[in-house]
Amino acid sequence: MAFRLTGVRVAANSGSLEEARGRVFEFFKSACRSIPQIMEIYNLHDVISESQLRSNIASQFRRNAHITNPKGGRGLQVIDMLVFKGMEELGNIVEHAKQRHHIIGQYVVGQHGLVQDLNPKDDAISPFLNNFYKTNYS
Amino acid sequence: MGLGVLASRATRLSGRGNPSRSLFYVRTIVTKPELQSPEASSAAAAPEPTPDLPPRTPLGGARVHFPNPDDAIEVFVDGYPVKIPKGMTVLQACEVAGVDIPRFCYHNRLSIAGNCRMCLVEVEKSPKPVASCAMPALPGMKIKTDTPIAKKAREGVMEFLLMNHPLDCPICDQGGECDLQDQSMAFGSDRGRFTEVKRSVVDKNLGPLVKTVMTRCIQCTRCVRFATEIAGVQDLGMLGRGSGEEIGTYVEKLMTSELSGNVIDICPVGALTSKPFAFKARNWELKGTETIDVTDAVGSNIRIDSRGPEVMRILPRLNEDINEEWISDKTRFFYDGLKRQRLNDPMIRGADGRFKVVSWRDALAVVAEVLHQAKAKEVVGVAGKLSDAESMMALKDFLNRMGTNNVWCEGNGPNPNADLRSGYIMNTGISGLEKADTFLLVGTQPRVEAAMVNARIRKTVRATNAKVGYIGPPTDFNYDHQHLGTGPETLLQIAEGRHPFCSEISNAKNPAIIVGAGVFEREDKDAIFAAVDTIVKKYGNVVRPDWNGFNVLLLNAAQAAALDLGLVPESSESIETAKFVYLMGADDINLDKIPNDAFVVYQGHHGDRSVYRANVILPASAFSEKEGTYENTEGCPQQTLPAVPTVGDARDDWKIIRALSEVAGVRLPYDTVSGIRSRIRTVAPNLLSLEEREQATFAASLKPEVKQKISSTPFKAAVENFYMTDPITRASKIMAQCSALLAKK
Ligand code: SF4
Ligand code: FES
C-alpha cells in the first residue's frame, strides 16, 4: 500500500473515557483533513460541497454519540473498535479502494436513499405506522 | 415398579461388595489380540458384569408404556437392569437402557426385516451374536452391547456393506446425514481388502420427486416396507437374489403415492434422495426452523431448512398426535413456490390497466379513501385459506370498526355454523382415529384432502381391520373400503336405517363419522349435517361421554381458526352487491361474483388468481416469513416461526391491516403481536393454548331444528388436484410437474 494515514493509528486500548474521547476527535480531524483530497479523487464537486460532506461525516459520528462506555457489555472496547473501523473506512476511501457510487451512496445521499418518504403530517401518526412505512421488522 | 427399583438397588449393593469383579470389567475393547480371539476374551469378561453403573437415561427420551403391569420383565443391558414390557425386542430394551444400537434396516414404524445384521449384540448363553432388532427380549436376558464379539460382528457387516457401496461421499447428497457414513466412522476399517470390481445397479425412475442412485443401495428394504405398509402402494419391491438384488418398481412405472417423499428420509444411505434438493446445499450449512405446514388443515409439524434468505428444503418433525414422522409430498416439495410469483411492492392499477409500483404511504392512502366512499353495507372482507389467526382477528376488528360484519374465510361456505365448535372440528382427534373400528366417510376423499389423516386411517385399517364406508364420487383409496353411494340419498338411507352399512355402525365399538369440508359449500349443507346428526343420535355409540366419533375434516389451514374467531358473514349475498372488497390472500373465491365497479384490494404474497381482478396490491409475507397461529382440523393451535426474511417491501398481514386502520382513521388498539393475542384471548382463548387440543364442549345434540330439504346432487370432490390447492403450490414448478405426471386424470 503506497499510502497510509500516519499518526492516527489506534494504539493499545484506551485506558479511560477521556482517552477514548480524545482519539475520536483526533480521528474526526484527520477525516476532515482528507476531505479536499476525497472531493478530488471521487470528483464530488458537482454533487456536494465540502462543508456538507463534513456535516454528513459528523452525523455518522453522532449516530454513536450514546456510547459512553469504553468497555462495552462483554468487555469489548466499543469506542476503540468504532474508531478502528472508521479508520479502516477512511483508509480505504483515501486509497481509492472504493468507487464513486460507494461514496455517493453512503456519504452524499445517506442512509435513507434519494426518495425520502417525508410527509408533513408525520408527527400525527403513531410510532407503529412510522415504523411500518420503514420496515417490516421493529 | 417399586419392587423393581428395590431389586436393582439390591443387585447394585451386592456388586459393590465384590471388588474382584471390577478387575475384569473392561468397557471398550479395541486391542488386537483380543480381537483375534474374541471368544476367549468374552469368556474372560463373562463372569457377570459389574452392575455398578450410573443409571442411564433412555435414548431420545424414549418412554416405556406398560399396557399391562404384570407383563413387565427385567433384562440386563451391559449389566444395567431395565424393566420393559413383554414383547419388546432386544433393540428396544437397549434403547430403554440408553444404549444406541447401530442399525440400518430396523425402523420403529415399519415391520421388522432383520436383513442388514448391523444390530448384532451378544446375548449370554447364545452361541452366536443375535440380531437385536428381530429378537424378542426374554426375562433375565443378559445383553452385552459392546463386547469384542459384537464389535467384530459389526465391523464385519460394515466391511461387507462397503464392499459394494461407492465411496463417493463428496458427491452424495446424503453426506453429513448418512447412517452408513456415521456408522463407518465407528465400525469401518481404515483399509479395504476388496480388490475386485464393485457391482453397479441401474438407476430407477421414481418420478419428479425422488432421485435414485441405486448403486448406493444397501438393500435394507426400508423403502419397500414403507411403500407397502404406510403409503399403501405396492410399487416398490426387491428383485433378484444375491449380488443381483435390486430395489425397483417391477415394471417401468413412477411411484404414485402422496407420501412418496418420506422414502428419502428413511433411506439410510444416499440411494433415495430429494430430486429438487439435489446438489443444492449441504445439510450442515442449513438453518433449521421448527414450524408447521399450512397447505392443508392437518398442520403437519415441519422443519424448514433455509440458507440465507432462501428456503432450501422442508423436513418432517416428529409429532405423534398429528403427523407421526411423515409428511405428504405437497408439504415436502411445494417450497419452491415460495420463490416464484411473489408480490414485493405495493401496487396500484392505473387507468391503462397496468400496475404501478407505489409507496406504502400512497397505497394505504388510496385504499383508505376508497373505503370511506363506500357505504358500510358494501364493504366485504374475505380471508384466504393460508391466513393466520392474528391477521383474521385484525381483519374482523377493522371491518367491524368500519361498520360492517361481512367478513369470512374462504372454504367455509356462505353461512357457516360457527356456534358449536364440535360441529366443525375433528372431535376424535387425528391420533384418536386409531381407536375407531368403523369409519363412515361422507363426501370426503381424505387421501387428497388430508394425506396425513388418510395415513392414520390406513394404519388403523391395517392394524385392526376396521371397516370403511364411503359416500362420495368414485375415488382412489389405499385401503379396503365399501363404496356405499355417491349422493346424499345414501346418507339418508343410513339415517333411516335402510342401508346394510347400518349394522356395521351399530355393531361397532368406536364408530367414527368423517364429514368433508367440501360439504360446507353445498346449498343443502344444513340438511346434510342434520342427517349426520340423526345417524349420531340413532346409534348411541357414535357420541358418548368417552368417545366422540363425529368429525369434520377441514380443507384449509385457516378454516378452524376463522370459525373460532367468528368470521361469519352477515348475509351470504354480500359480495354480489359489494363496492369495496378486501381480499386477504383469498384466491379461490369466485371472482365473477364481484361486481365490475367494485374496488378490489388484494393483500397477499403471491400473484395468483385474484391479482388479475385487484385494483390495489398490498404485498404480505408468506407463512415461512412470519409468526402466526394456525389451528388444525382437530382444533389444535400451533405456531409458525419466521425462517427467512420477507421478500422486498412486504409486511406481515396483521401489520398491514393495523396500518390501514390508522390511515382510515379507525385505529386498532394493538401495536404488537402480543397485543393482538390478548385481543384473541377475549374471543377464542383456546387459540392461545398452543399444541393443546381443546375438546369441544357442546354435544352435537344442541343444534336447532333444520327445515332444509336434502338435494339429490351427488357429492363433489373437494380437491381437484392434490398438488395444487393454494397460491404457493400453484406457483411451484415441482408441484406443476407432479400434477402433470402423477395426478390421477
Ligand atoms: S433404496 Fe435405501 S431404503 Fe431402499 S433398500 Fe436401498 S438403502 Fe434401503
Ligand atoms: S437393524 Fe437388525 S438386522 Fe437390520
Side-chain angles (χ1 to χ4, degrees), chain B residues 145-160:
Chain B
T145 60
D146 51 11
T147 57
I149 292 195
K151 187 163 163 59
K152 192 171 179 215
R154 291 174 194 166
E155 281 171 354
V157 170
M158 181 56 78
E159 196 169 351
F160 275 120

Side-chain angles (χ1 to χ4, degrees), chain B residues 557-722:
Chain B
Q559 264 176 315
L563 291 171
D564 270 4
L565 293 172
L567 264 72
V568 179
E570 245 162 52
S571 84
S572 46
E573 264 77 58
S574 48
I575 202 158
E576 273 124 46
T577 56
K579 287 270 162 337
F580 180 94
V581 182
Y582 197 95
L583 302 176
M584 191 174 76
D587 284 293
D588 290 272
I589 59 161
N590 190 353
L591 291 171
D592 302 333
K593 275 197 183 170
I594 302 177
N596 281 338
D597 58 342
F599 188 82
V600 178
V601 179
Y602 180 77
Q603 164 188 340
H605 38 81
H606 275 78
D608 206 47
R609 296 174 184 165
S610 296
V611 162
Y612 294 105
R613 177 65 186 81
N615 297 81
V616 173
I617 294 176
L618 304 176
S621 46
F623 83 102
S624 54
E625 294 148 15
K626 67 181 171 193
E627 184 183 332
T629 309
Y630 290 87
E631 185 180 357
N632 74 358
T633 179
E634 52 167 3
C636 172
Q638 305 179 87
Q639 247 170 31
T640 56
L641 289 177
V644 287
T646 46
V647 172
D649 215 9
R651 303 281 188 266
D652 290 352
D653 281 297
W654 71 267
K655 285 186 183 161
I656 298 175
I657 292 168
R658 160 70 181 76
L660 178 60
S661 75
E662 184 170 341
V663 177
V666 286
R667 188 166 145 188
L668 293 173
Y670 25 74
D671 281 354
T672 53
V673 184
S674 53
I676 210 165
R677 295 223 172 107
S678 348
R679 166 75 182 123
I680 291 179
R681 175 163 296 131
T682 60
V683 183
N686 59 300
L687 282 176
L688 295 175
S689 46
L690 289 183
E691 266 140 61
E692 267 172 48
R693 219 165 73 74
E694 183 138 336
Q695 296 285 352
T697 35
F698 289 102
S701 52
L702 286 176
K703 276 193 191 149
E705 276 293 302
V706 180
K707 310 242 157 45
Q708 230 175 20
K709 284 281 279 173
I710 271 191
S711 80
S712 56
T713 348
F715 290 112
K716 276 209 312 281
V719 173
E720 277 152 31
N721 180 355
F722 166 69

Side-chain angles (χ1 to χ4, degrees), chain B residues 12 95 175 177 317 322 325 384 413 532 612 657:
Chain B
R12 246 182 265 164
E95 261 175 11
E177 47 188 0
R317 196 150 59 87
I322 296 175
E325 62 185 80
V532 175
Y612 294 105
I657 292 168

Side-chain angles (χ1 to χ4, degrees), chain A residues 122 126 128 132 136-137, chain B residues 361 646 651-652 655 658 662:
Chain A
D122 262 8
S126 71
F128 174 86
F132 178 84
N136 188 28
Y137 302 98
Chain B
R361 199 181 292 271
T646 46
R651 303 281 188 266
D652 290 352
K655 285 186 183 161
R658 160 70 181 76
E662 184 170 341

